[in-house]
């Protein structure tokens, strides 16, 4: 109960020692993972409404959102690569 694993493993398993309610941004390019918090009650990802069918799998205890994309550095590299290909 001191750490959790993050997402499906790539080359290695990632662990998260931050047990406070939070979510993750994960870069699909380099694997960079950063925590982010959703404290705005009007847009709280922790209060995400799940379909009723989820309850057929078992008892829901927490909701974690993983946002995936390209970090700033990988996005720059990707843009340079596209410019070179033009």
């Amino acid at each position: 109960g001191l750490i959790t694993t993050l997402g499906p493993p790539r080359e290695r398993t990632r662990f998260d020692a931050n047990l406070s309610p939070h979510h993750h941004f994960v870069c699909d390019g380099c694997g960079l993972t950063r925590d982010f918090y959703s404290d705005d009650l009007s847009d709280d990802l922790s209060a995400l409404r799940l379909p009723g069918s989820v309850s057929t799998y078992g008892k829901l205890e927490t909701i974690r959102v993983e946002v995936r994309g390209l970090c700033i550095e990988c996005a720059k590299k990707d843009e340079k690569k596209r410019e070179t290909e033009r």
Side-chain angles (χ1 to χ4, degrees), residues 4 10-11 13 39-40 45 78 82-83:
T4 60
R10 293 173 64 122
E11 303 86 41
T13 301
D39 296 328
D40 181 356
L45 294 173
D78 188 59
R82 280 194 258 161
E83 287 176 5

Side-chain angles (χ1 to χ4, degrees), residues 20-24 44-51 54 60-66:
S20 67
H22 68 283
H23 308 289
H24 299 105
D44 190 1
L45 294 173
S46 300
L48 185 66
R49 289 186 156 179
L50 298 175
V54 172
L60 179 66
E61 294 182 357
T62 62
I63 295 175
R64 293 189 184 110
V65 174
E66 182 177 274

